[in-house]
Amino acid sequence: MSLNDGQRRLKAVLGHMNPDGSNGLARNFTDAKEGKGLALKDKQTGKEWDIAVPLDTAAKEGKQVSFRLIPGSTVTESLTVIDNRTKKIQEIPIVNNAIEAKAIKKMAFAKSAGRVEDETENGLRVYDPGFQNTAVARSSITYINGDEGILHYRGYPIEELAENSSYLEVAYLLIYGELPTPTQFAHFEHEVMHHTFAHTKLTELMQTFNYDAHPMVSLHHLHPFLPNPSVTISADFTRLLPPQGCFITGIAAMSTFHPEANPALQGADVFTNNPQILNKQIFRLLGKSPTLAAHAYRHRIGRPANSPQNGLSYTENFLYMLDRLSEREYKPNKQLARALDILFILHAGELRLGGRWEENWGSEVGVFQMTDFASCSPNVCSVTNVDHELNCSTAAMRHIGSSRVDPYSAVAGASAALYGPLHGGANEAVLRMLERIGSAENVGSFLGEVKARRTKLFGFGHRIYKNYDPRARIVRKVAYDVFDIVGREPLIEVAIELERAALADEYFVSRKLYPNVDYWSGLIYKAMGFPTDMFPVLFAIPRVSGWLAHWKESLEEKDAKIWRPRQIYVGPPRRSFVPLSHREQGTESQPDVAVGTSTHPFRKRSKVATYKEGSGDDQ
């Protein structure tokens, strides 16, 4: 249909609607003749409505133009969708700037349409790899506005909490929704600090790990093999563990010591029906997390574990368990404990807005960024800690928890997600970058390489924050306080000069590449003497409170369901089985099947030896 034909038909339609010229809608051809488009006009009021059709472009390109009159809606907060396959119109309500995915599912099509595997008759699906624009929960825990650089925990600005509160007080806020009264906080602190001792069997278990096991992971891998506290773990068995650590396995193993808190044994509603049991697990996980982390650290350096001490704050107790040797009345430095407390606050409710190592070379800057939601500039890396909405580890906590498993298994799963190099690790990347720069004099040439896309800049920019990361401002001050106490290292001077040079360069400022929280937190931990492989553990401890807050919130959801995302099947259609003897090597490329080969010297020698099948013991 040509443009003129379309105009004539529209005129005929409108004329049919108003045959006597009475009140109604009429065509206004003036704009169309002048190339400004079409409009509908109400004869009674004179009000006009533009027809949103690119007539000018269509006319120039000789394309057909079609019109469809859509009934208006009295509901402003709604979305009107036309399914061009069925010509059906659907109105979808908008609530909190979101629409229900199930409303999209109502858009079904004939079963014969498209591939059978697409299941068009079962409704339309939304494809969103990585959950980049999918809300899977309604939460009142954390609010982030990346454009404005805002981070709120339960409505309270992170700056105010870091300056005036403590980690345990923020943990209470995250988990229970309000700041505690003095009586409530005294009870909460007492319960947490009196649940810091780990079972002796759990301590013995951790002693069986290889000394060089990574302090993060070995707490996870033994869980399936611990049916009860009396199980015996041989030294040989622990050698099956990858040399990755201790924290996650200890957390998971805790579930075997508390069968009364296992929904698989006590019923799926054990926590919703009994708040006392729920709170007991919260106290245990908050209290024992730093204990297990300290045990993992002490085992790594070949020293016996220290028992928790009463009379110390949460972070003071952690530092005591890490560092005391045989000194009497050992007390950690209060300023360092406060610095660690602030870092724990910043990391407590964080979504860890860096979730994927995402290498994006689509823009001019070469920036390697580590993030979870929107994307920042291409050559920068970013991230942080406590609760930051639904990052990878927090989403894992809610996903695993949706099956109503015990919280220890869920926290172990969340910790495992945090340990992954695409989620955690930005702080280590910053340190490696600063070590590569070497000295403050080399900063200028390094930034030149970043602009030329020959190297990557870590610790600047953020996938969510398009302004100066509010946590970075706080951490920067903490960093200088820590440096004044323990002294500066050469990397500190490099970091200061890199920040100064980047913020003075319009190239980076125009792209909103400001230092993020990871830029300084890794330097703080390094200055305090923590090895880099301990960083993920230091991030996990405070995040336990954020994970528990999401776990508790998910249990309270009225319409809670087990999380079960859909997929889009893109594999082959139905095929008939061909027996192995009838299959021939095709000319098309075959799947690349990886064949495992051992590089152990013993196996190399055995592969060239001659022998008969069977055991040598049979001789």
Side-chain angles (χ1 to χ4, degrees):
M1 181 174 66
S2 67
L3 180 62
N4 291 335
D5 289 340
Q7 293 173 344
R8 283 195 294 271
R9 292 195 182 189
L10 180 60
K11 181 178 180 180
V13 170
L14 295 174
H16 179 72
M17 295 170 61
N18 307 279
D20 58 356
S22 59
N23 294 338
L25 297 175
R27 263 287 290 111
N28 179 350
F29 285 102
T30 304
D31 286 346
K33 292 178 180 179
E34 295 177 357
K36 297 180 181 179
L38 297 176
L40 292 176
K41 181 177 181 180
D42 188 325
K43 286 186 176 181
Q44 183 178 18
T45 63
K47 187 176 180 180
E48 295 185 1
W49 294 268
D50 291 333
I51 298 178
V53 177
L55 294 177
D56 292 345
T57 303
K60 291 178 181 178
E61 298 179 0
K63 294 182 178 179
Q64 293 183 343
V65 179
S66 61
F67 301 89
R68 181 173 292 125
L69 296 180
I70 303 174
S73 174
T74 58
V75 182
T76 304
E77 291 294 310
S78 65
L79 192 68
T80 301
V81 181
I82 302 175
D83 189 340
N84 289 312
R85 302 172 303 174
T86 61
K87 313 304 180 188
K88 292 182 179 179
I89 299 173
Q90 183 173 345
E91 183 177 297
I92 303 175
I94 298 175
V95 181
N96 298 128
N97 195 35
I99 63 172
E100 289 281 350
K102 290 185 292 186
I104 301 296
K105 191 177 187 299
K106 295 179 181 178
M107 299 181 189
F109 196 35
K111 185 174 182 179
S112 59
R115 300 193 325 150
V116 174
E117 292 78 12
D118 289 341
E119 301 178 357
T120 55
E121 73 279 6
N122 292 330
L124 195 63
R125 283 171 286 186
V126 178
Y127 178 58
D128 185 15
F131 300 126
Q132 297 181 72
N133 192 40
T134 297
V136 293
R138 295 182 182 274
S139 179
S140 59
I141 299 173
T142 305
Y143 169 71
I144 302 170
N145 185 321
D147 292 332
E148 301 296 329
I150 294 173
L151 172 60
H152 292 170
Y153 291 169
R154 300 284 191 179
Y156 293 96
I158 186 63
E159 297 88 347
E160 294 183 20
L161 293 174
E163 182 178 355
N164 303 303
S165 190
S166 67
Y167 168 70
L168 279 185
E169 190 176 31
V170 170
Y172 185 100
L173 169 67
L174 289 169
I175 296 170
Y176 298 104
E178 297 291 343
L179 287 171
T181 64
T183 302
Q184 289 172 330
F185 181 70
H187 172 74
F188 179 74
E189 184 179 38
H190 177 273
E191 290 296 326
V192 171
M193 297 307 296
H194 282 75
H195 281 85
T196 53
F197 279 83
H199 196 287
T200 55
K201 289 291 184 181
L202 186 57
T203 303
E204 292 173 6
L205 167 66
M206 298 184 68
Q207 294 301 317
T208 64
F209 299 147
N210 283 349
Y211 76 94
D212 59 351
H214 193 289
M216 183 66 170
V217 177
S218 46
L219 294 185
H220 167 65
H221 287 277
L222 291 182
H223 173 50
F225 305 96
L226 295 175
N228 59 68
S230 62
V231 69
T232 301
I233 304 297
S234 69
D236 289 339
F237 172 77
T238 60
R239 293 184 178 276
L240 298 176
L241 295 172
Q244 299 163 316
C246 297
F247 182 75
I248 305 172
T249 306
I251 293 292
M254 284 176 62
S255 66
T256 66
F257 294 90
H258 307 295
E260 77 284 358
N262 191 335
L265 302 176
Q266 306 299 333
D269 298 328
V270 61
F271 297 122
T272 55
N273 292 339
N274 194 328
Q276 285 187 321
I277 293 182
L278 181 144
N279 287 328
K280 187 80 167 180
Q281 314 323 308
I282 291 175
F283 300 149
R284 284 170 171 165
L285 278 162
L286 289 176
K288 293 177 179 17
S289 293
T291 304
L292 296 180
H295 283 4
Y297 175 78
R298 298 281 293 191
H299 179 64
R300 182 66 179 273
I301 61 177
R303 295 175 183 172
N306 286 317
S307 297
Q309 296 294 303
N310 294 329
L312 298 177
S313 70
Y314 192 79
T315 49
E316 285 177 334
N317 194 44
F318 179 50
L319 291 174
Y320 174 91
M321 291 187 289
L322 288 173
D323 300 330
R324 178 188 174 273
L325 294 177
S326 59
E327 303 91 343
R328 297 177 57 189
E329 298 183 7
Y330 181 91
K331 291 185 179 180
N333 182 282
K334 287 188 174 294
Q335 289 176 288
L336 289 183
R338 176 54 183 164
L340 190 61
D341 201 62
I342 293 175
L343 289 174
F344 278 13
I345 291 174
L346 297 179
H347 293 181
E350 179 193 3
L351 245 157
R352 188 79 179 174
L353 282 180
R356 296 175 285 124
W357 284 109
E358 177 174 299
E359 188 170 7
N360 177 6
W361 295 101
S363 69
E364 303 170 7
V365 191
V367 180
F368 201 61
Q369 77 175 16
M370 185 177 191
T371 52
D372 258 354
F373 297 115
S375 39
C376 189
S377 301
N379 245 22
V380 189
C381 178
S382 53
V383 197
T384 99
N385 310 334
V386 174
D387 188 81
H388 227 201
E389 291 183 0
L390 289 180
N391 60 6
C392 180
S393 56
T394 307
M397 180 72 186
R398 294 191 77 134
H399 197 146
I400 298 171
S402 72
S403 72
R404 293 298 182 263
V405 71
D406 65 89
Y408 304 102
S409 297
V411 170
S415 301
L418 177 64
Y419 176 70
L422 301 191
H423 188 15
N427 310 79
E428 297 180 48
V430 170
L431 292 178
R432 288 194 296 269
M433 175 189 70
L434 295 175
E435 289 171 351
R436 178 182 165 232
I437 295 173
S439 66
E441 291 75 20
N442 298 330
V443 167
S445 59
F446 171 78
L447 291 179
E449 291 182 12
V450 173
K451 294 178 185 179
R453 295 160 55 97
R454 289 194 295 267
T455 192
K456 294 165 185 162
L457 177 65
F458 291 86
F460 284 73
H462 202 283
R463 191 172 185 180
I464 299 299
Y465 294 116
K466 306 306 179 186
N467 205 322
Y468 204 103
D469 186 340
R471 300 159 301 165
R473 293 192 182 95
I474 302 169
V475 173
R476 190 179 191 276
K477 182 180 182 304
V478 173
Y480 280 87
D481 292 341
V482 170
F483 300 156
D484 289 340
I485 299 171
V486 299
R488 296 192 177 191
E489 296 186 9
L491 289 185
I492 306 302
E493 304 302 331
V494 179
I496 294 173
E497 175 58 21
L498 180 59
E499 180 194 41
R500 186 204 64 77
L503 293 182
D505 193 324
E506 181 61 22
Y507 183 85
F508 297 99
V509 174
S510 64
R511 290 162 174 79
K512 299 183 179 180
L513 299 180
Y514 305 103
N516 57 52
V517 69
D518 295 301
Y519 186 76
W520 292 106
S521 58
L523 288 168
I524 295 174
Y525 288 140
K526 181 175 177 60
M528 292 177 70
F530 290 107
T532 54
D533 62 2
M534 189 70 180
F535 287 5
V537 180
L538 296 172
F539 299 146
I541 296 171
R543 286 195 180 199
V544 169
S545 61
W547 293 335
L548 289 173
H550 281 274
W551 173 68
K552 180 176 180 293
E553 185 179 63
S554 67
L555 293 176
E556 297 167 350
E557 292 178 351
K558 294 181 179 179
D559 57 347
K561 295 179 176 60
I562 186 171
W563 283 22
R564 206 289 189 188
R566 295 300 306 274
Q567 69 165 13
I568 296 177
Y569 177 72
V570 295
R574 184 185 184 281
R575 297 187 285 184
S576 297
F577 179 78
V578 178
L580 179 61
S581 59
H582 293 177
R583 296 175 216 157
E584 297 181 359
Q585 182 70 31
T587 56
E588 68 280 0
S589 60
Q590 297 296 316
D592 183 14
V593 181
V595 179
T597 57
S598 174
T599 57
H600 195 282
F602 173 76
R603 294 304 305 157
K604 287 183 177 180
R605 295 190 297 272
S606 295
K607 289 174 67 174
V608 296
T610 59
Y611 54 87
K612 294 181 179 180
E613 294 294 340
S615 172
D617 297 334
D618 297 335
Q619 297 179 356

